[in-house]
Amino acid sequence: MATLEERKLMNDASRAQGGLICLGAGVIGALFLLGLLQESYWALALPVALLVFFVLGLAFWVGWTIATIQVEPEISAPPSDTSSPASASNDPA
């Protein structure tokens, strides 16, 4: 179990990482808006290309996972013959 000091340190690190993510998103958003205002072709082409490559990578990953999965066949137990009349007649009791 983590001590109180360790938890506080983890919370501080998480808050710092969250702040950096927000700052990065703000900077990228400002650059995108600046590119749109300057009517730059790249302002639209780069985000669209990134999105397309992300979706293609995701589709490839799903296909690769399906193609390379190792499936073990189920082993079913053989049926038992406890209800047959022959086994009942051999009962010594």
Side-chain angles (χ1 to χ4, degrees), residues 48-86:
V48 169
L50 287 172
L51 182 64
V52 166
F53 284 125
F54 175 78
V55 170
L56 288 174
L58 187 62
F60 181 85
W61 174 71
V62 168
W64 182 266
T65 302
I66 292 171
T68 60
I69 193 167
Q70 299 290 326
V71 179
E72 298 290 329
E74 283 189 32
I75 300 173
S76 59
S80 61
D81 280 340
T82 57
S83 62
S84 69

